[in-house]
Amino acid sequence: MGRVYNFSAGPAVLPEEVLKEAAEEMLDYRGTGMSVMEMSHRSKAYDNIIKEAEADIRDLMNIPDNYKVLFLQGGASQQFAAVPMNMMKNGKAAYIITGQWAKKAYQEAQKYGEAVAVASSADKTFSYIPDCSDLDIPEDADYVYICENNTIYGTKFWQLPNTKGKDLVADVSSCFLSEPVDVSKYGVIYGGVQKNVGPAGLVISIIREDLIRDDVPAYVPTMLKWKTQADADSLYNTPNCYAIYICGKVFKWIKKMGGLEAMKKHNEAKAKILYDFLDESKLFKGTVEKKDRSLMNVPFVTGNADLDAKFVAESKAAGLENLKGHRTVGGMRASIYNAMPIEGVEKLVEFMKKFEAENA
Ligand SMILES: *Cc1c(COP(=O)(O)O)cnc(C)c1O
């Protein structure tokens, strides 16, 4: 059996070229006689891999020199704790609740200080992004926190909140490297890489240097103190070597594709095919307010749970995998990350048309 079109929300599809190259290098990485999985993280060969990965992501995102790039473990969820541990000086932060991941981060922050929910879209099942132009942000808040692309609900902040001068922290797990970004607008940008960049278990945190502090509370574990990792160039302990290696290949793939501008065009073209169909369909409908639609995660429903289940089963049989919606939302969700080719989305819409004709 060949490869399927994989619409998984994460871990998710990776560029086939990258997987093939990794396969070719599996037994003998460029004359070292060993796999990247088998080599010391202190070796010359590995040093090149991690340094090149950092240089490439800096280049792609145009990351200013006063930001550190850290390759950390524990996934995005580990940063839910690391952010308040490292950033709460006044013990207070403002959270914008636009879905489950934002809510989890907010709940985690409450363990270490006062997390204030300054806006939420929970009233309409997180189907929109609240107006964040004039929020009641506490004077002494250490930062304002958002989940920029809501993987489960399919919404995206197309305009960053007015933080009233506070540092912005963004979880970009599901929109990482999907479009150009002005890093200087953020204090911290971080993302688990398994949605759009690489294998699970690695989180990349891009942190403005002045936010990397030595005077964190004594209880903060050594490993969760950003300064520990910043001082050691992400090699305080053994990092997720193989995941960093694959991410490095994905960075090179994105560069070859034309960089983040080109990625954005590619992603817009794919999303348009799907959203245009949803807008005209008599059977399927999108669940998100149009202005807040994500380019990466597209949830949709038929309005009939049995028909949704039938769709998921039949689409799978047709080689379109992982279209079942998140267990808390139901319906369907197509995640169409960078590595999803346009043909995958065309095939999906073709299948949806056929299903609609058969089930109308
Ligand atoms: C998947 C996801 C997470 C959780 O990532 P882990 O690496 O599993 O901790 C957090 N935030 C967002 C936006 C996600 O999509």
Side-chain angles (χ1 to χ4, degrees), residues 172-192:
V172 300
S173 296
S174 49
C175 59
F176 221 169
L177 303 178
S178 65
E179 59 173 356
V181 31
D182 181 353
V183 175
S184 71
K185 290 192 172 143
Y186 303 78
V188 178
I189 301 181
Y190 76 89

Side-chain angles (χ1 to χ4, degrees), residues 9-10 74-80 101-102 145 147-152 171-175 190-195 200-203 297 337:
S77 301
Q78 185 74 285
Q79 295 302 298
F80 295 173
W101 295 117
Y145 183 99
C147 177
E148 191 159 331
N149 185 80
N150 295 280
T151 325
I152 297 172
D171 172 358
V172 300
S173 296
S174 49
C175 59
Y190 76 89
V193 302
Q194 74 275 25
K195 308 292 161 68
L202 175 69
V203 52
N297 311 98
Y337 297 119

Side-chain angles (χ1 to χ4, degrees), residues 100 125 151-154 284-288 298-312 322-334:
Q100 274 195 34
T125 332
T151 325
I152 297 172
Y153 302 94
F284 299 100
K285 67 174 200 301
T287 58
V288 168
V298 183
F300 55 95
V301 294
T302 64
N304 173 335
D306 292 337
L307 211 49
D308 287 350
K310 188 176 178 216
F311 179 87
V312 171
N322 292 315
L323 283 163
K324 195 173 183 323
H326 189 268
R327 60 186 188 282
T328 60
V329 186
M332 281 73 71
R333 170 179 50 174

